[in-house]
Amino acid sequence: MSLRIYSTLSRTKEEFKPVKPGQVSMYLCGPTVYKPAHIGHMVGPVIFDTIKRYLSYLGYKTTWVVNITDVDDKLIVKANELGTTVEALAKKMTDDYLDNLRTLGVTVGPDGIDHMPYATQYIAEMQNIISGLIAKGYAYPLNGDVYFECCRDEDYGKLSGRKLDEMLAGTRAETMDGKHNPADFALWKGSKPGEPAWDSPWGPGRPGWHIECSAMSQKLLGDTIDIHGGGLDLMFPHHENEMAQSESFTGKCFCNFWMHNGLLRKSSAGGKIGGDHSRHGDSAEASADMMAVKQAQEEQKLAGSKGAESVKTAVFAKFDPETVRFFLMATHYRSPVDFGDDRLEETAKSIEGFYRLIETFGRITGADFYSLSASTTRAKTPSLDGEPAAFFSELKSLRDRYYDCMDDDFNTGGAVGVLFDLRKAINGFIASAKLESEGKSNAANIAALTTAMTLLKELSNILGVFRQPLAKKASGSGDDEFVNGIMRLVIDLRAALRKEKNWPLSDKIRNDLTALKVVLEDRPDGTTWKRG
RNA sequence: GGCUCCGUAGCCAAGCGGCUAAGGCAGUGGAUUGCAAAUCCGCCACCCCCGGUUCGAAUCCGGGCGGAGCCUCCA
């Protein structure tokens, strides 16, 4: 089974073949850093982080670039508004962005984003491309600006499926501004006084939106890259234009696999409004003022400039980052996703069992799941031949299913399903081998359990989940000696009551503790507690 | 209006021509438990509608209905 990737260009899944054997170059369009990051900005990086992990797992030496756009109209406007400089604003928002990425397990470095170039550091490269495009007749200067002439690029529109002449039909004349063609877009923008500006052959100015990605990907990854990613909303015009520029300049294919991730939508207040979603199709509502509807849609869209809350306040205050990451992994990257509290709550509930299994594993073996050393490459994955044979062969087939999913256009949703099945298999093994009670000293079974848990770690590492304990702590790990001491006392006293079969009192203790968000669980070998 | 994409159980969701349509949440029957919790074993889908291609379709094609995104420097 070999890796297949859906390419936006061909609208089909194609077998993945890198330009250079054994190596993969990957470029993801990063943010314009003019406002705090919202959760929608995190989707691409999280998905591509997993893609890189899997490519690395397959043995590819993967180089991943995510750019930072630190010069842009919006940045200028916002900085003026706030009475600060573009540089200072960009710095602050970049830090916010990176901070949130780190929280979600995406780092800058060999295990994550390899290069994070800033647009302002590649002005010379951009100017070089612009000059080249003018020389080749693909671009023309106009009043201090430089425009790319779309109709000179024969296959312009091939990514988004647009035809140039169709696009022109509905265009208003006033958008022309002397451009040869309304679709022509700026490679270079002459600056007004007070705006950030760089000297250029066409006068002081700043780069257009698309040229930075062309320049940076070429400089850092070469003329033809393997994978280029971004949100679906960037397909047009950004990626279309980016590709048009780059290919016109180099005369080579710019990118072999275009990958676009679906966008997040903020789900409506959920059940809180009326509960029954199916009622929204009322014909009375259908006649509502279209503008109002359009407006409402705007607000729902996370990417809209208005109303989007920062990740920290909107999400991380309420949900563990691992829950968020798991949620993103549970659906296919190309699908649009409703993002809302009720969905995250469901996810949190669904993954609790993994954390419980991890605790159980610790109780049985004394080992720490998070310290297990799991293989990070498919080539070095354990053979999984062992006893009991039935259990091992189940592990093996689950792993194969996981591979099949990931090989099929990074089907993380299917892979997540495998993780749940793996959990069930391990729990079943623990139960049938009675590892929590009389089977505790069976060394072979303990070893089998450890192998299985190591496999769980190996497979969840690729998705970037279960890398650390939840903030919600298990017994004794997050509280001070005082609390732990009190809890030990309470549990001991209750154990004595239970021995006397004083059920009313021992149940009262457990129930009252539940009200305090402390959960007691009675097991054959004693009672454990944790904060719930 | 043009260009894309989607429509699988109460909800979320995988599935990409062929064994009994993954998995999660909710619900439900049982095992286990002093009772719980957790865990395990079960149950829970006429794949939006209508045609067509095929020995065979949730999967391919045509039409319809419904939804989403883009066409506006939004990831």
Side-chain angles (χ1 to χ4, degrees), chain A residues 332-450:
Chain A
H332 193 91
Y333 75 88
R334 275 188 281 121
S335 307
V337 178
D338 286 318
F339 193 89
D341 285 4
D342 41 357
R343 300 294 312 283
L344 265 330
E345 273 156 25
E346 189 186 307
T347 302
K349 220 179 294 178
S350 75
I351 63 176
E352 261 176 34
F354 287 104
Y355 294 105
R356 274 194 227 104
L357 172 58
I358 287 167
E359 280 172 30
T360 305
F361 171 66
R363 248 193 337 269
I364 293 172
T365 64
D368 176 24
F369 174 80
Y370 302 103
S371 316
L372 290 176
S373 114
S375 170
T376 53
T377 59
R378 190 155 160 177
K380 290 187 188 148
T381 191
S383 70
L384 296 184
D385 297 317
E387 293 293 333
F391 182 52
F392 274 91
S393 89
E394 187 174 10
L395 295 181
K396 207 184 271 187
S397 83
L398 286 169
R399 187 178 60 189
D400 287 345
R401 239 178 78 205
Y402 181 96
Y403 290 159
D404 285 347
C405 289
M406 292 301 284
D407 283 342
D408 182 15
D409 193 30
F410 308 105
N411 178 6
T412 55
V416 161
V418 175
L419 253 33
F420 279 106
D421 283 340
L422 179 57
R423 178 179 86 184
K424 192 183 284 187
I426 297 174
N427 273 327
F429 179 65
I430 290 172
S432 68
K434 297 191 166 47
L435 292 182
E436 289 216 83
S437 45
E438 56 261 43
K440 208 163 191 163
S441 52
N442 184 324
N445 283 343
I446 298 290
L449 172 64
T450 304

Side-chain angles (χ1 to χ4, degrees), chain A residues 20 80 94 99 102 109 115 119 159 184 186 189 212 254 256-257 274 296 354 358 360 390 423:
Chain A
K20 295 180 193 159
N80 283 339
T94 303
D99 183 40
R102 211 173 303 118
H115 302 287
L159 181 65
D184 295 353
K189 294 174 146 183
E212 60 178 86
F254 174 54
N256 286 134
F257 291 87
F354 287 104
I358 287 167
T360 305
R423 178 179 86 184

Side-chain angles (χ1 to χ4, degrees), chain A residues 147-289:
Chain A
Y147 291 95
F148 183 85
E149 189 150 23
C150 293
C151 59
R152 296 298 309 277
D153 180 30
E154 286 184 0
D155 50 9
Y156 184 85
K158 67 182 172 186
L159 181 65
S160 56
R162 284 152 214 267
K163 303 255 186 303
L164 214 40
D165 44 344
E166 283 170 0
M167 287 171 52
L168 304 185
T171 322
R172 285 169 301 203
E174 59 264 32
T175 59
M176 288 289 285
D177 289 334
K179 290 192 286 186
H180 295 6
N181 190 304
D184 295 353
F185 57 90
L187 296 168
W188 188 260
K189 294 174 146 183
S191 58
K192 301 190 196 81
E195 290 180 348
W198 287 262
D199 287 331
S200 84
W202 320 285
R206 61 181 183 277
W209 178 29
H210 319 295
I211 194 68
E212 60 178 86
C213 291
S214 291
M216 292 187 284
S217 76
Q218 186 189 24
K219 180 72 184 280
L220 294 167
L221 297 172
D223 288 348
T224 302
I225 62 178
D226 292 305
I227 296 173
H228 191 123
L232 202 52
D233 54 339
L234 292 183
M235 190 169 86
F236 186 91
H238 182 56
H239 290 159
E240 192 74 69
N241 292 349
E242 199 183 320
M243 180 169 59
Q245 293 164 351
S246 289
E247 296 193 343
S248 298
F249 179 67
T250 65
K252 296 178 195 164
C253 171
F254 174 54
C255 167
N256 286 134
F257 291 87
W258 282 93
M259 297 181 67
H260 290 99
N261 61 272
L263 304 183
L264 245 43
R265 287 175 312 200
K266 199 179 203 161
S267 62
S268 56
K272 280 157 198 143
I273 288 178
D276 188 355
H277 287 85
S278 65
R279 290 195 180 171
H280 293 313
D282 272 0
S283 54
E285 287 179 20
S287 63
D289 177 33

